[in-house]
Amino acid sequence: MTLLSVKNLYVFIEDKQVDLLGPISFSLELGENLTIMGETGAGKSLIAQAILGSLPTGLKSRGDILLKGEAIDNLSPKKRAALWGDIITALPQEPWLSLDPLMRSGQQVAETHRYFKSYNWKEAKKQTEQQFKKLDLSDTAQKRPFQLSGGMAQRVAFAAATAGDAELLLADEPTKGLDSHRHDKILSLLKAIPQKGDSLLTITHDLDLAYALGGKIIILKNGKIVEEGITHTVLSSPKASYTQALCAANPSSWPPLSSCTISSKENILVQSEKLRIGRNKIAFIKGLDFCLKAGESLAISGPSGIGKTSLLDTIIGSIKPMGGTLTRAEHIGKWEIQKLYQDPPTAFPPLISLKDNFKAVTKKHKMAWDQLLQLLENVELDASILERRPSNVSGGELQRLSFIRALIAKPKILLADEPTSRLDLITQETCLNLLKKLCREENIGIILVTHNQHIAEKWAHNHIDLNQFCV
Amino acid sequence: MIFFASYSPLKLYRKIGLSRSIGLGLLSIIIISTVIGPDLVGHDPAKQDLLHARQMPNAVHLLGTDHLGRDMAARLLSGARLSLSLGILSLVTAAFLGISLGIIAAWFGTWTDRFLTSFADAILALPGLLLVLILMASAPGSWWLLYIGISLTLWVEFFRYTRQRSRIILAHPSVDASKNLGLSNYFILTRHIFPELRNGLFTISAFGIASAITAIAALGFVSVGIRPPMAEWGLMMTQLLPYWREAPFLILQPIICLVLTILSLHLSVGGFHKK
Amino acid sequence: MYKKLIAALLKRGLQALIVALIVGLVSFAMMQALPGDAAFRIAAGRYGYDLMDAAAAEAVRQELGLDRHWSLQLFDWLKALAQFNLGESFIYRGSVSEKIAVQLGHTLTLSLSALFVSILIAFPIGIYTGLNPNGWADKFFLQLSIFVRAIPPFAVGLTLVLIFSVHLKLFPVAGFRSFHHLILPAFTLGIGMAAVSNRVIRDSVLEAMHSDWQLFSRIKGLPSGLTLRAHVLRNAALPSVTYIGVQMAYLIEGVVIIETLFAWPGIGHALIHAIFGRDIAMVQGTALTLGLIYVGLNLVIDFLCSFIDPRSAKS
């Protein structure tokens, strides 16, 4: 039986009559599993919002949305809201922000049970307890959202969303901000939905998640469908050029690093022995030995919170090692260790033009303006981009600009803290390749911090897994 | 400086909206008449004329005369001069102190921050008006004490805002990036901190002048502030209250002046500030 | 949790000390600044010019120790303050503490009534406009709030007196004999507070209605009424209560001026009266009481906030 069918769906800005996405058509059978895949910022979430009927003010949808054969797109907001929880439900993108900050998490789930099944409180609490047990949340019922980790908050949200036993679950970027361990946990929860006979519609930019979920897939580009079919078929032999590029850009399918040729083998920039690192007298990492030579790349990987950022701060000298030795080559000057930041928009002063910023940096490091324009040309950026403020420039462009800005200081070492984790797969690959090329050309030693094992293994000459040095 | 960025009034109106335009327009009228008005009116605000007391507005006395026959227009303008100049002077003092100490506290942190914050907390131990009132108690009518008292209560908000915003800005990765690139502290101050503080400081300033003017009038009203025979709005209200029945237009004048001045200041920065 | 409360206690304790110190120093300075022979003046104030003579002045001098060096006097002055010995009024017979105990009751009656009026006005308007943002009511109350906000409390009071007492003769102008006397001053202060707090409540309701958790509560299946009751209002109440704390400064300032306008025999009225009559002991007593009430109220609000909002205990 067809549960949901969408025909020629468009989402547009009401005042300007500008289409943000469309046409989108698909249908979803009961017990089926569909993934919609596309780059970030392409408005994928709008599809989920259009189906739910919760588009932000100013946005409207047109086209047909049929639920169990009945048109729901022209129902009044009140009637659409009556479907929520009962027939359609959704797993929120930001689980932390989606739970009432003042209410204990058990209560937030129990109130849904109580409402849907007209239980008394006692019965509803019992139901919640059972559900929490299944989800590994036994101690969580009395905690409030601020006391939960990201993964726990997501499971509480999952429990609340599915308490009404809705037939259709919309999951919008369910793995956003989760590391691989938590990634697997949410995956198994999602996989259980079709097995139970309900339907799952997942919206994601995470190729690994899409592959693991299986079922059907739709690939979106610029708000339009470029390819659709059985997930495993589409992803293993993609036809559309965009899908091919997407699959190739996924770090897990990158070619292994070809034999490396390091120009100056003896030129050691920084070296550590039995390094012990921590903050406020609490050690995170111990017994770390590494060595970085000019023109070489070193990747450091590990889950969030293991102390990757503290390690970088130690290398740059802003915190002192707690033990062991860290030696920087003497010829490295004050400004010759440069950094790249995780979130490109936060790395530039937000209220002045980029030109203002670059003028100051070139002046400080005595670089001619023409030379800067040449650098921009090398990374395929137009000089006119400098007239804008950081908020009007895309993340990928901004990250390239921050490479350039770091290069002005003629660094010998470049420390990159998750520089591409907020970027799309394709942009990520372009950026990382560019970074590697520039560092090789300028003979810069680079340390890349990443939580992605594949990038760590396939991109850098050397790889350190911090899990082995954890205190 | 959003106010001066566009020169044509129409452009400005489109940029800042109706209520701010009204506020700025009203404020300009008040300031201009305060500066040139006393000469245009031509009367001495202190000159009594008991034979012509409590006159209705007429050709000689545009807004009538008070219970002692003094020209109301001249007195209102003289009151405006007093309130505005004292308000602006206290504000400039407070803003200078508050902003610089706020940045110093945020920049150096540790004990400097702790010391300055405790100092601000100490000032906040008393509600602003009460502090000025108690200070004024030791020398009623003293202009200097009024100036010091008002500045003392106003600087705290500048300090707290500047310190809190600057702390957030200084912890931002972009500041770390600029420091790492070797950019000067001057760059961080003028390109990172000031642009972010600007709008908030405008709002605090407008509301600060408004509350200074209110405080001056309130103290005058309870006869603890500026002393007669000086013309001051709050004082005028007290003096004219007994004549409400015979000459209602008299007491309404200082009230309207005070309300319009405060309203124009509030509106010029968008009308609302939750303090 | 306890750490936070202890920090609040310390901070407010320090503030209380500072209030005492400022008030003590200022009133001592007033004492020194009295023109002519202080003892003579005080005696005259106490007994009247007709009934006093050099002997009475000398008695006062001995009693207050006015012939010693000023630093010793200051030390004694602050010591008496630390022992909560506020002394005797210079003008009225009787101890300052007794006077203040009576006035405090009146001031509290007025303040609580004003607070009640403000809550009665602000919450319905704030909740309604927050649930219907950008409607005509929202726009109307925004403009009205801006306008009322621009009128200082004493001008509000004056206007209310002119309209309701003098013109319409509905309420008495001043005094405090009956409930009728309470209405105008309580409304004067209440309206002023409500002018701002209704917008704060409106904004917090609006923010709650636009929050992710509000939408998720609907999506997991709860109807709008239940979501409003169980989640939105509860969360919106928090900043609203905190804001009422912020308004305590307005209330204390307002009380001083409004009591004077309406001749309401509370502490504020007494303070202004004492400043006017150079009754230094009364200035010190009343200012100290008002300042300590303010610090105390802030402490109560600190505790209340960490009690309502479990998050604040963490950060």
Side-chain angles (χ1 to χ4, degrees):
Chain A
M1 177 188 149
T2 306
L3 180 63
L4 175 74
S5 130
V6 171
K7 283 176 202 146
N8 288 322
L9 177 72
Y10 288 86
V11 176
F12 60 97
I13 303 173
E14 203 178 3
D15 299 345
K16 296 181 193 156
Q17 296 290 324
V18 175
D19 289 341
L20 293 175
L21 67 87
I24 306 279
S25 304
F26 61 85
S27 72
L28 183 61
E29 306 292 316
L30 208 57
E32 215 182 22
N33 176 7
L34 174 71
T35 304
I36 297 176
M37 164 99 217
E39 63 215 324
T40 31
K44 297 182 308 270
S45 302
L46 296 176
I47 301 176
Q49 289 169 345
I51 295 169
L52 276 170
S54 66
L55 282 170
T57 13
L59 298 187
K60 279 261 150 57
S61 69
R62 61 173 192 272
D64 301 319
I65 303 171
L66 292 107
L67 192 67
K68 291 181 167 173
E70 278 176 57
I72 57 164
D73 48 304
N74 43 22
L75 288 180
S76 69
K78 213 173 168 178
K79 284 192 173 150
R80 291 193 82 163
L83 303 170
W84 295 346
D86 200 14
I87 301 177
I88 309 183
T89 193
L91 194 57
Q93 214 186 84
E94 305 273 2
W96 244 328
L97 302 179
S98 298
L99 295 172
D100 182 336
L102 296 184
M103 197 181 265
R104 296 181 197 279
S105 46
Q107 176 76 8
Q108 302 199 37
V109 179
E111 64 175 1
T112 324
H113 280 296
R114 181 170 179 266
Y115 175 72
F116 272 108
K117 291 156 197 162
S118 34
Y119 291 142
N120 55 28
W121 275 119
K122 217 176 139 192
E123 197 64 29
K125 288 224 166 90
K126 221 163 132 191
Q127 286 277 330
T128 309
E129 250 170 62
Q130 285 173 3
Q131 219 183 344
F132 273 28
K133 218 174 208 166
K134 264 192 244 162
L135 293 170
D136 238 351
L137 286 171
S138 304
D139 306 332
T140 328
Q142 292 302 311
K143 288 186 178 161
R144 293 190 170 85
F146 74 91
Q147 295 164 312
L148 303 180
S149 70
M152 275 149 89
Q154 190 161 39
R155 276 174 284 148
V156 171
F158 184 87
T162 53
D165 281 331
E167 284 127 305
L168 172 60
L169 174 69
L170 306 177
D172 190 2
E173 298 283 13
T175 54
K176 192 176 170 187
L178 297 182
D179 59 32
S180 55
H181 173 64
R182 295 181 181 125
H183 191 287
D184 297 344
K185 212 154 200 168
I186 193 75
L187 176 67
S188 65
L189 289 178
L190 292 177
K191 270 182 135 171
I193 301 270
Q195 284 162 11
K196 221 172 57 179
D198 293 330
S199 306
L200 174 69
L201 177 64
T202 311
I203 291 168
T204 186
H205 72 282
D206 181 344
L207 259 178
D208 298 327
L209 175 75
Y211 197 86
L213 280 172
K216 291 195 299 183
I217 196 167
I218 290 176
I219 311 281
L220 286 188
K221 194 202 174 188
N222 297 333
K224 290 187 178 60
I225 296 180
V226 292
E227 191 166 358
E228 57 188 311
I230 306 294
T231 306
H232 290 176
T233 326
V234 170
L235 295 184
S236 45
S237 52
K239 293 196 177 66
S241 58
Y242 176 70
T243 321
Q244 286 166 355
L246 203 63
C247 291
N250 196 26
S252 61
S253 51
W254 285 0
L257 196 69
S258 52
S259 59
C260 42
T261 45
I262 297 164
S263 50
S264 49
K265 283 201 157 72
E266 295 312 310
N267 194 355
I268 292 174
L269 297 172
V270 59
Q271 193 169 19
S272 83
E273 240 172 83
K274 298 207 171 55
L275 189 62
R276 189 180 176 88
I277 286 168
R279 256 180 229 269
N280 302 325
K281 292 180 184 160
I282 300 163
F284 306 138
I285 292 165
K286 64 167 198 270
L288 182 66
D289 296 335
F290 73 87
C291 167
L292 180 74
K293 292 172 192 161
E296 200 180 43
S297 56
L298 170 68
I300 295 172
S301 67
S304 47
I306 197 166
K308 288 176 289 192
T309 308
S310 303
L311 174 57
L312 292 191
D313 286 347
T314 311
I315 294 171
I316 210 164
S318 66
I319 58 176
K320 285 206 162 64
M322 290 175 73
T325 56
L326 180 86
T327 350
R328 278 181 290 267
E330 272 172 17
H331 61 86
I332 295 177
K334 201 175 176 193
W335 316 118
E336 287 177 350
I337 303 180
Q338 283 300 322
K339 271 191 188 173
L340 294 178
Y341 295 81
Q342 183 169 12
D343 196 12
T346 63
F348 292 86
L351 295 179
I352 60 169
S353 73
L354 289 164
K355 195 176 194 165
D356 220 353
N357 193 225
F358 275 87
K359 277 245 160 83
V361 182
T362 45
K363 196 175 153 206
K364 165 80 194 174
H365 296 285
K366 301 192 178 65
M367 176 185 270
W369 191 251
D370 289 338
Q371 218 178 329
L372 173 72
L373 295 180
Q374 185 59 45
L375 277 174
L376 284 176
E377 213 169 280
N378 287 349
V379 298
E380 290 157 24
L381 284 174
D382 195 73
S384 68
I385 205 169
L386 294 181
E387 305 293 335
R388 297 190 232 160
R389 284 186 184 181
S391 53
N392 294 328
V393 178
S394 78
E397 288 168 326
L398 218 44
Q399 198 57 288
R400 275 184 276 163
L401 280 171
S402 56
F403 298 168
I404 299 296
R405 190 177 60 170
L407 288 184
I408 298 173
K410 302 176 195 75
K412 298 224 162 71
I413 300 177
L414 198 56
L415 304 178
D417 188 0
E418 304 266 16
T420 57
S421 65
R422 307 269 168 108
L423 304 178
D424 290 309
L425 285 179
I426 297 177
T427 321
Q428 165 169 287
E429 194 190 19
T430 330
C431 275
L432 285 178
N433 285 340
L434 181 69
L435 188 58
K436 195 192 269 181
K437 188 178 133 233
L438 288 175
C439 288
R440 202 169 293 158
E441 280 169 12
E442 307 287 331
N443 208 22
I444 297 168
I446 178 167
I447 298 181
L448 177 84
V449 166
T450 177
H451 67 274
N452 188 319
Q453 201 75 13
H454 298 294
I455 294 180
E457 281 162 8
K458 295 178 179 174
W459 185 82
H461 297 118
N462 298 313
H463 169 209
I464 295 173
D465 185 355
L466 280 188
N467 278 316
Q468 299 160 13
F469 303 95
C470 195
V471 173
Chain B
M1 300 293 268
I2 188 167
F3 297 164
F4 311 111
S6 6
Y7 19 87
S8 109
L10 193 67
K11 248 187 183 170
L12 188 67
Y13 162 69
R14 283 206 189 110
K15 193 160 181 179
I16 65 176
L18 182 63
S19 65
R20 288 185 69 185
S21 305
I22 293 177
L24 282 175
L26 205 55
L27 192 60
S28 335
I29 293 173
I30 292 169
I31 291 176
I32 291 170
S33 47
T34 308
V35 174
I36 62 167
D39 293 330
L40 289 184
V41 170
H43 289 283
D44 176 0
K47 186 168 170 278
Q48 301 187 1
D49 182 1
L50 292 172
L51 291 176
H52 296 104
R54 297 204 304 269
Q55 278 191 345
M56 289 286 281
N58 56 48
V60 186
H61 300 286
L62 284 178
L63 296 172
T65 56
D66 72 357
H67 59 296
L68 296 174
R70 293 172 294 196
D71 183 64
M72 279 300 283
R75 286 182 67 74
L76 287 174
L77 285 169
S78 151
R81 249 186 200 188
L82 181 106
S83 295
L84 277 174
S85 55
L86 187 52
I88 291 172
L89 203 64
S90 323
L91 185 95
V92 171
T93 316
F96 177 75
L97 276 176
I99 296 170
S100 39
L101 291 180
I103 290 175
I104 288 172
W107 195 289
F108 294 101
T110 64
W111 66 267
T112 316
D113 184 27
R114 234 169 289 153
F115 174 76
L116 288 171
T117 310
S118 310
F119 184 43
D121 279 345
I123 301 286
L124 287 179
L126 282 165
L129 189 61
L130 196 60
L131 180 64
V132 183
L133 193 67
I134 294 171
L135 286 180
M136 288 304 285
S138 56
S142 156
W143 187 93
W144 276 102
L145 217 53
L146 200 55
Y147 162 66
I148 292 171
I150 292 175
S151 309
L152 206 58
T153 60
L154 285 183
W155 80 276
V156 182
E157 214 191 335
F158 282 99
F159 170 78
R160 298 202 343 154
Y161 175 79
T162 309
R163 171 184 171 271
Q164 196 205 358
R165 291 288 310 157
S166 307
R167 273 166 69 102
I168 295 172
I169 297 164
L170 288 172
H172 200 252
S174 65
V175 171
D176 184 56
S178 292
K179 281 186 183 165
N180 229 339
L181 284 159
L183 299 181
S184 61
N185 290 342
Y186 178 77
F187 181 89
I188 290 169
L189 213 54
T190 55
R191 303 296 151 87
H192 284 274
I193 295 181
F194 285 157
E196 298 235 21
L197 292 182
R198 200 176 54 199
N199 287 341
L201 290 179
F202 266 128
T203 308
I204 296 175
S205 303
F207 275 77
I209 298 182
S211 63
I213 291 176
T214 311
I216 296 165
L219 293 178
F221 184 71
V222 294
S223 312
V224 179
I226 298 294
R227 289 258 144 140
M230 289 271 277
E232 194 282 320
W233 291 342
L235 200 58
M236 287 168 77
M237 288 178 214
T238 311
Q239 291 166 339
L240 295 170
L241 187 59
Y243 308 98
W244 155 254
R245 234 166 280 244
E246 304 95 290
F249 56 93
L250 288 181
I251 184 165
L252 284 178
Q253 288 178 24
I255 297 183
I256 291 172
C257 282
L258 180 63
V259 171
L260 281 182
T261 309
I262 294 170
L263 195 62
S264 71
L265 282 162
H266 286 189
L267 285 178
S268 68
V269 289
F272 233 81
H273 170 54
K274 289 174 218 155
K275 177 73 211 306
Chain C
M1 179 87 193
Y2 292 112
K3 230 178 194 174
K4 181 111 182 164
L5 294 184
I6 289 168
L9 210 59
L10 274 178
K11 176 178 159 184
R12 300 302 175 191
L14 190 70
Q15 285 192 330
L17 271 179
I18 284 160
V19 167
L21 203 64
I22 292 178
V23 172
L25 285 175
V26 167
S27 35
F28 183 77
M30 277 175 80
M31 195 77 177
Q32 298 293 315
L34 283 180
D37 182 6
F40 203 83
R41 274 188 49 120
I42 294 167
R46 244 186 231 180
Y47 312 116
Y49 278 97
D50 301 337
L51 294 171
M52 68 149 304
D53 48 26
E58 192 52 42
V60 169
R61 199 188 314 280
Q62 289 302 321
E63 179 193 329
L64 298 174
L66 294 177
D67 46 359
R68 293 171 305 152
H69 189 257
W70 69 265
S71 56
L72 284 174
Q73 290 186 46
L74 175 63
F75 181 75
D76 273 3
W77 188 271
L78 293 179
K79 199 171 100 186
L81 194 61
Q83 292 162 338
F84 288 103
N85 177 8
L86 296 175
E88 303 225 336
S89 165
F90 289 9
I91 293 179
Y92 309 102
R93 297 236 66 161
S95 81
V96 171
S97 343
E98 274 168 35
K99 290 253 168 235
I100 286 176
V102 178
Q103 292 155 352
L104 187 60
H106 298 147
T107 295
L108 286 181
T109 312
L110 175 58
S111 318
L112 290 178
S113 316
L115 199 62
F116 181 67
V117 169
S118 87
I119 287 172
L120 218 57
I121 299 174
F123 270 90
I125 295 178
I127 293 173
Y128 180 80
T129 48
L131 292 177
N132 303 282
N134 304 319
W136 69 267
D138 189 18
K139 284 176 185 146
F140 171 75
F141 282 115
L142 172 64
Q143 297 310 322
L144 188 67
S145 301
I146 290 176
F147 182 69
V148 173
R149 172 87 209 274
I151 315 177
F154 61 94
V156 176
L158 213 48
T159 319
L160 290 184
V161 167
L162 295 180
I163 297 172
F164 289 100
S165 302
V166 184
H167 200 75
L168 299 175
K169 297 193 168 54
L170 283 178
F171 298 106
V173 176
F176 90 119
R177 272 180 305 278
S178 71
F179 177 71
H180 267 71
H181 288 92
L182 181 60
I183 293 177
L184 280 188
F187 264 86
T188 302
L189 285 169
I191 289 173
M193 287 198 279
V196 194
S197 59
N198 87 80
R199 297 307 292 178
V200 174
I201 295 165
R202 178 246 185 214
D203 290 350
S204 21
V205 170
L206 185 63
E207 199 190 318
M209 286 301 286
H210 280 191
S211 66
D212 285 7
W213 48 259
Q214 191 278 138
L215 183 63
F216 183 61
S217 159
R218 302 293 315 281
I219 283 174
K220 75 185 183 188
L222 298 194
S224 56
L226 191 54
T227 302
L228 184 68
R229 262 176 290 131
H231 297 288
V232 173
L233 291 184
R234 229 171 90 107
N235 276 277
L238 200 82
S240 311
V241 170
T242 316
Y243 190 74
I244 289 175
V246 174
Q247 285 194 313
M248 287 302 147
Y250 180 95
L251 190 61
I252 301 267
E253 290 176 358
V255 154
V256 174
I257 306 293
I258 293 304
E259 284 185 353
T260 311
L261 171 62
F262 288 96
W264 185 263
I267 297 185
H269 183 236
L271 171 63
I272 299 288
H273 222 71
I275 292 177
F276 214 62
R278 318 295 303 143
D279 186 347
I280 296 165
M282 276 303 279
V283 169
Q284 173 171 276
T286 48
L288 186 68
T289 313
L290 280 172
L292 290 182
I293 290 178
Y294 179 64
V295 174
L297 283 174
N298 275 314
L299 183 66
V300 170
I301 285 152
D302 289 344
F303 276 49
L304 213 59
C305 283
S306 61
F307 179 69
I308 309 177
D309 187 358
R311 283 168 298 177
S312 67
K314 193 194 175 197
S315 54

